[in-house]
Amino acid sequence: KQEVTQIPAALSVPEGENLVLNCSFTDSAIYNLQWFRQDPGKGLTSLLLIQSSQREQTSGRLNASLDKSSGRSTLYIAASQPGDSATYLCAVGGGSYIPTFGRGTSLIVHP
Amino acid sequence: GAVVSQHPSRVICKSGTSVKIECRSLDFQATTMFWYRQFPKKSLMLMATSNEGSKATYEQGVEKDKFLINHASLTLSTLTVTSAHPEDSSFYICSARDSLGGNNNEQFFGPGTRLTVL
């Protein structure tokens, strides 16, 4: 059974810092890995999707990497802003493309 | 990008009543949709996989008679919480995958439904 772990569980940083969120998974036989953002009381917003054959994806200030062999993915956020404050979820897509979610990293960026 | 909607966004009901939540893919077809439940400060827990035209597949521990799922068309799945009780209060989120393989099998999530059972 796939297990997904996200570290740290919570993070508080001053505005402008570059930061890295980590996601690890136990079964490397994955189809894809997706990073989401969730604001309090809201649904999920997809940030980046990495196919199993890819190593990284970039969108604006966000960069996600994938290392299947070591069972790791990182989400890099450059020049963080208060508007980046949210919970970031990592989801690993397995059989039938059903994703397994980590518990998320709660990020606070203070001015 | 692809859009998934949910209705209602928030519902408050009395214990013992049934509540129906709709999940729609607005600009793509989805033979498969997924229903999740999220407890406060917890991750998403997959409840069931909704299959168009056939029975839903429920995860272990999820009561299929309690959480009725119907996937009547390629763009609509419904989750009915029957005889709701306070412990059913939660945030319910659906997701859908483009059946035609577009968007690289990316999962698109609805905005969620907050259910509160009094």
Side-chain angles (χ1 to χ4, degrees):
Chain A
K1 180 184 176 183
Q2 179 74 272
E3 293 183 6
V4 180
T5 303
Q6 289 188 245
I7 295 173
L11 186 61
S12 180
V13 300
E15 180 177 8
E17 274 203 8
N18 301 322
L19 48 98
V20 176
L21 308 183
N22 298 289
C23 173
S24 62
F25 46 95
T26 55
D27 187 350
S28 62
I30 67 172
Y31 286 98
N32 58 32
L33 186 144
Q34 202 165 348
W35 282 93
F36 295 90
R37 168 186 174 139
Q38 185 176 30
D39 293 289
K42 303 292 184 181
L44 275 65
T45 300
S46 179
L47 298 174
L48 290 165
L49 170 70
I50 310 176
Q51 299 295 337
S52 62
S53 59
Q54 298 174 323
R55 296 282 293 185
E56 67 176 347
Q57 284 287 330
T58 298
S59 176
R61 294 183 294 108
L62 305 179
N63 175 277
S65 67
L66 173 64
D67 184 342
K68 272 187 16 176
S69 61
S70 65
R72 295 174 186 273
S73 175
T74 60
L75 178 66
Y76 176 81
I77 303 177
S80 58
Q81 303 170 357
D84 294 331
S85 299
T87 295
Y88 291 81
L89 293 163
C90 164
V92 178
S96 301
Y97 305 102
I98 298 175
T100 301
F101 282 85
R103 289 194 168 194
T105 293
S106 178
L107 172 66
I108 296 176
V109 181
H110 48 87
Chain B
V3 178
V4 175
S5 70
Q6 274 185 250
H7 177 79
S9 59
R10 183 182 297 268
V11 58
I12 301 173
C13 68
K14 293 181 179 180
S15 184
T17 60
S18 293
V19 175
K20 180 185 284 187
I21 303 171
E22 293 185 348
C23 176
R24 293 180 185 273
S25 57
L26 297 186
D27 50 3
F28 66 98
Q29 295 181 333
T31 55
T32 304
M33 293 183 174
F34 305 94
W35 287 97
Y36 296 84
R37 184 173 179 176
Q38 187 178 34
F39 293 99
K41 298 187 178 182
K42 298 288 185 182
S43 187
L44 277 72
M45 180 191 76
L46 179 65
M47 298 175 64
T49 302
S50 172
N51 304 299
E52 188 268 336
S54 64
K55 292 182 179 180
T57 303
Y58 289 82
E59 295 300 300
Q60 190 173 10
V62 178
E63 300 176 59
K64 60 181 179 181
D65 295 330
K66 171 75 172 176
F67 299 99
L68 299 179
I69 291 174
N70 183 274
H71 195 147
S73 75
L74 287 172
T75 59
L76 173 65
S77 175
T78 60
L79 168 67
T80 301
V81 183
T82 62
S83 187
H85 291 284
E87 58 265 30
D88 298 324
S89 299
S90 192
F91 194 55
Y92 292 87
I93 305 178
C94 73
S95 73
R97 183 171 62 85
D98 191 328
S99 300
L100 298 180
N103 295 302
N104 294 315
N105 296 306
E106 183 174 353
Q107 292 273 340
F108 298 97
F109 284 78
T113 297
R114 171 74 60 192
L115 171 63
T116 302
V117 185
L118 303 177

